[in-house]
Amino acid sequence: MNQKFVITIARQYGSGGKTIGEMLSKRLGVEYYNKDLIIKASEESGISVDLFANADEKSKGLISRLKKKNYGGEVVDPSDSNFTSEENLFNYQAKVIKDLAEKESCIIIGRAADFILKDRDDVLSVFIHAPQDFLMEQAAKKLSMDKKDLEKHIAKIDKERADYYKLHTGRDWTDARNYDLCLDSSKLGFERCVDEIIAYMNVRFNEK
């Protein structure tokens, strides 16, 4: 790929979105950013990495959503009482994502990056999803839980991600209209998902 690009990947828990992102990173020879975004945001702001970790792709619930305005892009000064607020933590992480998109080609996992970068022409946004049985099968490879607890865990993680996305963007996380490309990893497999994303990139960015 001759021109700079950014691929954002939103993913259901157990769909393999993280794995697909890592595979894309290797195939395309670009950096992959996931939880290291938290570290970068902490370094940028001077705010404890633990505070970022506690708010990572989570929201504090209904009260927070009622009070919160959608992402506007501005971080606040350390002297401001809202410096460590949920909103400002998101804004610092968004600043890191924007800075990365400005300077390099990369893969960014989750954290509403598709929305943060929605006005850029060099961004391809992807949503990876799968049926419940596939999510369960994949999650069971990493977690030692009985079926009932595993179902609850998957539902909890996806609800946290959906609430976080709604809180900061005002949009529904699973709405296909938010993304350029939506892929069912259970039907394609991880390798074919990577192939399809690259094929879409070639069309989108006019590569031969």
Side-chain angles (χ1 to χ4, degrees):
M1 187 67 63
N2 295 320
Q3 71 178 81
K4 186 170 67 61
F5 62 88
V6 178
I7 301 173
T8 69
I9 299 179
R11 73 286 183 225
Q12 285 187 289
Y13 188 84
S15 68
K18 175 177 176 289
T19 300
I20 290 166
E22 291 172 337
M23 293 168 67
L24 268 171
S25 173
K26 291 177 182 178
R27 284 270 295 272
L28 296 171
V30 300
E31 291 295 325
Y32 162 91
Y33 295 102
N34 188 9
K35 289 190 177 295
D36 36 3
L37 291 169
I38 298 171
I39 298 172
K40 287 182 175 295
S42 176
E43 292 171 347
E44 174 84 22
S45 64
I47 298 171
S48 167
V49 70
D50 291 337
L51 288 177
F52 280 100
N54 289 336
D56 187 34
E57 294 196 284
K58 303 180 183 73
S59 76
K60 295 179 181 177
L62 180 60
I63 293 176
S64 180
R65 291 198 296 275
L66 289 173
K67 291 182 178 179
K68 174 77 173 56
K69 295 180 180 179
N70 294 339
Y71 169 66
E74 295 299 322
V75 297
V76 300
D77 188 87
S79 62
D80 194 292
S81 61
N82 291 317
F83 184 60
T84 59
S85 67
E86 188 174 8
E87 179 178 3
N88 203 46
L89 294 174
F90 179 86
N91 289 352
Y92 263 111
Q93 192 163 260
K95 183 178 184 301
V96 168
I97 289 170
K98 284 185 169 181
D99 289 345
L100 289 171
E102 189 65 32
K103 71 181 184 181
E104 65 180 85
S105 293
C106 58
I107 316 293
I108 299 178
I109 304 297
R111 294 158 187 88
D114 60 281
F115 181 83
I116 293 164
L117 302 177
K118 62 183 173 60
D119 296 325
R120 295 185 63 95
D121 293 332
D122 59 354
V123 174
L124 170 60
S125 58
V126 180
F127 184 76
I128 306 294
H129 61 96
Q132 181 69 15
D133 59 346
F134 184 83
L135 301 179
M136 291 280 290
E137 177 186 333
Q138 295 299 310
K141 294 178 180 179
K142 296 183 177 181
L143 301 171
S144 297
M145 297 181 180
D146 62 33
K147 182 178 179 180
K148 185 175 181 181
D149 287 340
L150 195 60
E151 286 177 339
K152 288 181 179 179
H153 182 76
I154 292 171
K156 176 178 179 291
I157 297 297
D158 279 356
K159 185 178 187 304
E160 287 175 345
R161 290 175 179 174
D163 287 349
Y164 174 90
Y165 192 86
K166 183 73 170 181
L167 171 65
H168 295 293
T169 72
R171 297 181 177 186
D172 292 330
W173 181 56
T174 58
D175 189 336
R177 292 171 295 183
N178 298 331
Y179 309 99
D180 296 308
L181 189 61
C182 296
L183 299 173
D184 184 337
S185 56
S186 72
K187 294 179 179 177
L188 294 175
F190 298 164
E191 191 70 43
R192 184 63 186 276
C193 282
V194 172
D195 292 341
E196 291 300 320
I197 293 169
I198 292 174
Y200 190 101
M201 287 176 64
N202 290 336
V203 173
R204 168 75 175 274
F205 301 129
N206 297 315
E207 291 284 330
K208 295 183 180 179

